[in-house]
Amino acid sequence: MGNQTYLLETNGLTKTYKGAKVVNGLSLQLEEGEIYGFLGPNGAGKTTTIRMLLGLIKPAKGRVTVFGKDLSKERITILKQIGSLVESPSYYPHLTGKDNLETLRKILQVPKSRIAEVLEMVRLTKMADRKVKEYSLGMKQRLGLAASLLGSPKLLILDEPTNGLDPAGMIYIRELIKQLPVKYGMTVLLSSHLLSEIDQVATKVGIIAKGEMIFQDQIDVLREKASRKLHVQMNDWETGQKVLSRHGIETARHDNWLTMPNQPDGKIAEIVKELVYSGLDIYRVSEEIASLEDIFLNLTKGEETL
Amino acid sequence: MMRALIQSDLMKVKKMVWVMMIAFPAGLVGLQAVNYSLRLDHLLGLHDDYWYFLLENVHIFWPTILVLTLTLIISLFASVEHETHTWTKLFSLPVNNGKIYLSKLAIILTVLIVSSVLFVIFSMILGLSLGFGSDLPLMAASQMSLYTFIAVLPFVFIQFWLSMGFTNQGIALTTGIANAVFIMYAVDMPTWLPWRWPLLLEGITTIAPDIFYGLGTGVVLTVISLIHLTRKDVTA
């Protein structure tokens, strides 16, 4: 363990199913007030990891420390301050939305007024007295979110919370999640298989592939990884390539486009000048920025997602 | 915490549970009502003690009905949680895993006890309406009902284990219904087989070893099933 105390920390977390390592030596650190985006393709081990964080399944190896306490020893104390929504939202279809929350409220022992509060937070007040079997998938998902907020948790663990929501619902939930650390001092761990989802809310990202953490840092660091490329279109690429290699710039060709790593502004000006002096006609100079989605695909390359 | 859990579980109970709790004993006593009304003179001629003979008659199918009731009720309790995978939510709550099951078990046992009490009441009503007199055999009826309840305890825990442990209720229902049917043919079985115990073959008011076998096996099975259920991974 490092000097820094994390709100949630795992060390070498491993889970084996029938000899196959579903999660392998996963180390994850979550600081207070963060929104942690836990990203990975389907079947990468996200849900298994989350189940281990909640003590629902026991890791084969490794340990989970939450609020500075060992999960395997003080599970109930820890769970008092965790709200969670794992996979599909769980609910009792034959009960109303309000009664669904009431079954949990009795166990969590929070004041009754909290039900109206969380229903308001996810905009379900109007539907509160309807049976959940009449709810749309998006409403069920929002009810699940309301249930996770019921105990005013310090740490909120959400497994794919925007699944099944329409665009308006997605934006609303995203905004709601963004406000949680600011307004209520919550820390959020959010899993998704869509980078675009996480990109818009998370402050820190962890990317998991084949059960291993392959990237974990601030989201800005991930953005910097976005490799930029410079494309130059000209009439005679062969001469162009020679000129540029004399300046130590390796290029790749596609039609009459030459592609090279991005260069500082001064260098670009120099390249263009050289090419023009060599008698070449420059048609276009353009820059390509790889999207975060590309980086994600690159990082998880070779991963089979069907 | 146990109280909160039981209150929470009571909210989720499906109406069908209450219906079965009342309908099964009522139906069984109703069957004897038909039997008696069709051949009253013949039946009264078989035994001097009309009341005791009535209790013996209503008890014939009671073990089968009780095992059927408990099978279906336990399955309903479990499917409420299996249906939309609420186990995950339940076990993420700050409660001891064992208490989650104990709360359900407490309600199930209470429902079965209420059903057994109703069975006694319905039998008394039948006897009264047949004109057996107001000298009610409450003691004998209660003994019959209580001994049967204790003797079916092993089945309660087998069903509890199967229903709670497997999402697919087919396994639990098949086992439960097979057990219920098997009991009807258990008269000639060796005494150590649990299907024989609820038949109270030593007499419906006699404290026979069978009852203690039922109690002992029930307790052992509870402990084993609770240990297994609380330790297994929650994956659904």
Side-chain angles (χ1 to χ4, degrees), chain A residues 15 17 51 56-58 75-76 79-80 84 86 90-92 94-95 99 102-104 106-108, chain B residues 1 4-5 7-8 11-12 80-81 84-86 88-89 91-94 96-97 231 233-235:
Chain A
K15 179 73 190 175
Y17 279 127
R51 283 180 183 277
L56 292 169
I57 55 181
K58 285 166 204 72
R75 182 166 175 264
I76 291 174
L79 285 180
K80 273 186 188 144
S84 63
V86 181
S90 27
Y91 52 88
Y92 304 103
H94 61 296
L95 300 182
D99 282 349
E102 178 65 18
T103 63
L104 298 171
K106 282 193 160 57
I107 301 171
L108 290 168
Chain B
M1 182 45 77
L5 273 170
Q7 284 177 345
S8 169
M11 284 185 74
K12 304 176 205 165
V80 162
E81 309 293 352
T84 58
H85 312 295
T86 30
T88 299
K89 185 80 215 169
F91 289 116
S92 312
L93 293 171
N96 184 299
N97 287 2
R231 291 206 177 163
D233 282 351
V234 185
T235 51

Side-chain angles (χ1 to χ4, degrees), chain A residues 7 11 26 30 75 96 114 128 135 159 162 169 177 185 195 229 255 259 279 282 287 293 303:
Chain A
L7 190 84
N11 284 303
L26 196 90
L30 189 52
R75 182 166 175 264
T96 65
R114 190 69 194 143
Y135 281 26
D159 192 10
T162 49
I177 292 172
L195 181 65
K229 281 178 185 160
D255 288 336
T259 305
I282 306 292
E287 183 191 29
E293 221 46 81
E303 185 75 352

Side-chain angles (χ1 to χ4, degrees), chain A residues 93-96 99 131 133, chain B residues 9-23 72-73 76-77 80 111:
Chain A
H94 61 296
L95 300 182
T96 65
D99 282 349
K131 288 196 171 167
K133 60 181 163 200
Chain B
D9 272 330
L10 279 174
M11 284 185 74
K12 304 176 205 165
V13 177
K14 295 207 168 159
K15 287 191 194 80
M16 204 53 205
V17 170
W18 311 128
V19 173
M20 286 196 286
M21 178 180 85
I22 302 165
L72 297 174
I73 286 178
L76 273 177
F77 267 88
V80 162
V111 168

Side-chain angles (χ1 to χ4, degrees), chain A residues 114-132:
Chain A
R114 190 69 194 143
I115 290 182
E117 278 172 41
V118 292
L119 281 170
E120 185 61 43
M121 277 170 91
V122 298
R123 291 190 180 163
L124 272 180
T125 311
K126 274 186 198 159
M127 295 294 289
D129 293 317
R130 299 275 282 276
K131 288 196 171 167
V132 177

Side-chain angles (χ1 to χ4, degrees), chain B residues 52 55-56 59 139-148 150-151 197-212:
Chain B
Y52 186 83
L55 289 180
E56 278 197 325
H59 179 260
M139 187 60 193
S142 309
Q143 280 175 320
M144 176 266 283
S145 182
L146 177 69
Y147 297 162
T148 315
I150 294 173
W197 303 337
L199 294 175
L200 307 181
L201 293 171
E202 312 266 330
I204 54 171
T205 55
T206 313
I207 303 180
D210 291 9
I211 300 159
F212 295 103

Side-chain angles (χ1 to χ4, degrees), chain B residues 22 26 31 53 80 101 106 117 134 137 142 163 166 173-174:
Chain B
I22 302 165
L31 220 61
F53 191 55
V80 162
Y101 287 115
V117 172
S134 57
S142 309
S163 275
F166 295 98
L173 290 177
T174 311

